[in-house]
Each structure stands twice: as structure tokens, then as C-alpha cells.
Amino acid sequence: GENVEQHPSTLSVQEGDSAVIKCTYSDSASNYFPWYKQELGKRPQLIIDIRSNVGEKKDQRIAVTLNKTAKHFSLHITETQPEDSAVYFCAAYFSGGYNKLIFGAGTRLAVHP
Amino acid sequence: NAGVMQNPRHLVRRRGQEARLRCSPMKGHSHVYWYRQLPEEGLKFMVYLQKENIIDESGMPKERFSAEFPKEGPSILRIQQVVRGDSAAYFCASSYSGTKDEQFFGPGTRLTVL
């Protein structure tokens, strides 16, 4: 079935440390994997995405890696700051021809000063 | 370029009433998606629409829920005879094309059923 699993559900780090969030997906045909950040009471906002034709993508302190063979992808945040505190969702598009975006359950990241 | 608009932002209904949630996509976007987010949970896909067509409604409950995206005007998510379990945040997203483009989310409508 269509499923995206995300771990951990909560993550607490000290400011300046790195944070890693991991996701696995079930559909081997999935080829687009966005990551969204949601602050309390606000809308999800795309922070980075990766397509299946690349294995890694970086944008300043944020990077995403993709292992298509293992069907997992990860978000890496380096030099974390308190403003990185939020809930992070991974997602994967599932095949079938349409844009069905299936989300992971989310990771609540807390960055302590 | 205005983003995705949703209204109302907050909606309170009593059990048995109807809730109507509206979504105006970003300018130039013709693909609309609705998601439901229960408290402390992730986003669950409900329905994907294009103008005047429901493309995928596999995430919609079979009863009481319906969605439309008319030729003119916003997309509407309609919940009839609401129950307490319908209390959630309902997010709308839009994209430019239907080929795995970025989806831009609206601010959401927080529905509370008393």
C-alpha cells in the first residue's frame, strides 16, 4: 500500500548540533520527495525536495539524500538554530499518474539554546 | 502574486451542521488538493481536483464529505452533518501542473465541532 514511515517522531538537539530525520517509502516507482516544515499553527512550507535522478541535494544548512534501492531518504540539518524548531514532514509522490502526495507522520524538532 | 487563499481561517460548527471550506489556488494554478490534519498528526490526502473534475478522491470519507472545483470560483470542501471527529485543520494546496510539481499550501481552516 501507499505508506511513508518517518523517524524519529521527536528529536531534541543543542544549538549548533546536526539533526537527521529519516523516511522510508513503499512504492518503488515514487520519484519525487519533498520535505516540509510546519511551525505551530502555520501552513506547511517546502524547504527542500529531491527527484529520483539525483542522490543528494544541498541548500545552505539543509541537505537531503536519497537511496532508491533501499527506498529511503533523509533530511540533514547542520548547525541547528532555535528557529529550526518545528515539525518536519517528509513526503513522497505515489505512482498511478496523479499527484497523490503521501506524508510521513512528522518529526517534532526542538533546538535548545 | 498572492499565495493560496483559504477561508474561513477558523470555523465553529455544532454537531449536525454543515461546514463549507473554500480554497482559491495560486494564480495560474489549476490543480487543487485537500488535506486533513488531526491534532498532533500528519497530513492526510483527501482529494485532488482540476477545474470541474475530481481526479482522485481516494482519501475522502465515503459519506458526508464532498469536494468541487467549479469553472469559476474557489474549490469547496463540504462536510455535511459534522461530528466531533471532524474537528481538524483542513489544508488546501495548489500546483501549476499535474506532473509532480511543488504543491503550495494555504494557511488552513481550523474546524471545531462542538
Side-chain angles (χ1 to χ4, degrees):
Chain A
E2 301 160 345
N3 190 43
V4 176
E5 293 193 1
Q6 183 172 349
H7 300 280
S9 57
T10 59
L11 181 58
S12 183
V13 300
Q14 291 296 124
E15 183 177 359
D17 288 350
S18 294
V20 181
I21 302 170
K22 299 182 179 181
C23 291
T24 59
Y25 58 96
S26 58
D27 185 355
S28 58
S30 295
N31 60 8
Y32 177 60
F33 308 91
W35 285 87
Y36 284 84
K37 175 183 180 182
Q38 187 178 30
E39 296 177 354
L40 187 63
K42 297 191 177 180
R43 75 187 77 190
Q45 292 197 301
L46 183 76
I47 55 171
I48 195 167
D49 55 17
I50 191 167
R51 297 184 187 271
S52 59
N53 56 345
V54 297
E56 184 176 4
K57 184 177 178 180
K58 285 185 179 179
D59 183 3
Q60 299 182 348
R61 296 186 296 108
I62 294 173
V64 58
T65 58
L66 171 65
N67 183 330
K68 284 221 73 180
T69 303
K71 292 191 286 186
H72 70 69
F73 56 114
S74 301
L75 178 71
H76 304 252
I77 306 174
T78 58
E79 300 172 25
T80 53
Q81 301 166 3
E83 51 265 38
D84 293 331
S85 297
V87 179
Y88 291 81
F89 293 98
C90 62
Y93 274 115
F94 278 73
S95 60
Y98 307 125
N99 280 0
K100 179 178 287 185
L101 195 59
I102 304 299
F103 283 82
T107 296
R108 186 174 299 278
L109 174 65
V111 180
H112 302 285
Chain B
N1 187 9
V4 179
M5 309 287 283
Q6 288 188 252
N7 68 82
R9 295 292 306 277
H10 301 273
L11 182 61
V12 179
R13 285 288 178 265
R14 296 192 180 278
R15 281 178 296 170
Q17 291 184 319
E18 178 179 289
R20 279 184 179 241
L21 289 61
R22 296 174 188 78
C23 169
S24 296
M26 284 181 68
K27 187 176 181 180
H29 287 189
S30 59
H31 301 258
V32 167
Y33 318 82
W34 286 93
Y35 296 89
R36 177 165 63 177
Q37 187 174 37
L38 295 170
E40 303 296 319
E41 292 191 12
L43 294 145
K44 301 295 185 186
F45 169 84
M46 298 182 75
V47 61
Y48 163 38
L49 309 104
Q50 294 179 28
K51 285 283 187 181
E52 299 184 276
N53 284 304
I54 297 174
I55 307 301
D56 185 345
E57 57 181 346
S58 58
M60 288 269 277
K62 292 291 186 287
E63 299 177 351
R64 302 190 297 109
F65 285 72
S66 62
E68 62 177 9
F69 190 13
K71 188 176 180 181
E72 302 290 337
S75 174
I76 306 286
L77 179 68
R78 182 182 178 205
I79 311 172
Q80 295 178 289
Q81 298 171 358
V82 295
V83 300
R84 289 216 173 112
D86 296 333
S87 295
Y90 291 83
F91 288 95
C92 163
S94 74
S95 68
Y96 174 73
S97 75
T99 54
K100 300 175 176 60
D101 255 353
E102 177 183 351
Q103 293 185 15
F104 294 83
F105 280 81
T109 293
R110 280 152 185 81
L111 172 66
T112 301
V113 179
L114 302 177

